[in-house]
Amino acid sequence: MLQSINPAWVSEGYGVDGMTFDVMSDALNRHPKLKAVYCVGGGNAAILRAFKQAEREVLSYIGHDVDEENRFLLNDRKINAVIQHDLQSDAREVFRTLLTFHGFLPFIDHRDAFSKVNVVTPFNL
């Protein structure tokens, strides 16, 4: 049976452990059916601690970037997957595109220049 999805936007933790824990704890109090997380920033360990303190299960957890914390959480099977791509390469391509648009660089077709997105799981870490 499919359940309805009621997403909750949780922000302002800035990836800082204590602040992220506080905003997530507040969100869990306001959203009693919240069971999944997609975190684009840091503070994944704090989010998991908030779930644990609230005695709530996380059915699915997706993070961003394979950093030291996320590598540990993947190995420990605390999060299901991490989306990984080369942010520096993507930022460089955005600036190159802006400079080309304004005539500072010659036009070169860069359609395939953005980094490839990889999904990292405990099984392909």
Side-chain angles (χ1 to χ4, degrees):
M1 179 172 114
L2 292 176
Q3 295 181 4
S4 64
I5 298 174
N6 297 313
W9 181 271
V10 180
S11 65
E12 308 308 318
Y14 304 105
V16 176
D17 191 83
M19 293 171 65
T20 301
F21 177 83
D22 291 343
V23 296
M24 194 67 220
S25 294
D26 180 57
L28 290 169
N29 287 331
R30 288 183 288 112
H31 302 281
K33 293 184 178 183
L34 189 62
K35 296 179 182 179
V37 174
Y38 171 57
C39 180
V40 298
N44 292 317
I47 292 168
L48 290 167
R49 275 198 332 277
F51 269 90
K52 185 174 183 172
Q53 182 181 16
E55 298 178 351
R56 300 266 290 278
E57 181 181 15
V58 181
L59 297 180
S60 180
Y61 198 118
I62 299 173
H64 245 278
D65 300 321
V66 182
D67 58 15
E68 185 177 339
E69 177 181 70
N70 287 343
R71 184 177 295 279
F72 174 79
L73 294 171
L74 281 166
N75 271 328
D76 212 24
R77 306 239 172 130
K78 300 290 185 190
I79 59 178
N80 303 97
V82 172
I83 297 171
Q84 175 71 25
H85 54 100
D86 186 349
L87 293 174
Q88 288 180 339
S89 172
D90 291 345
R92 188 171 36 255
E93 189 57 32
V94 167
F95 282 113
R96 182 180 292 131
T97 301
L98 288 170
L99 291 170
T100 300
F101 176 80
H102 289 289
F104 294 106
L105 292 175
F107 176 78
I108 300 173
D109 188 357
H110 290 120
R111 280 182 278 186
D112 296 328
F114 286 99
S115 68
K116 304 297 183 242
V117 175
N118 296 302
V119 178
V120 181
T121 70
F123 307 103
N124 69 348
L125 183 61

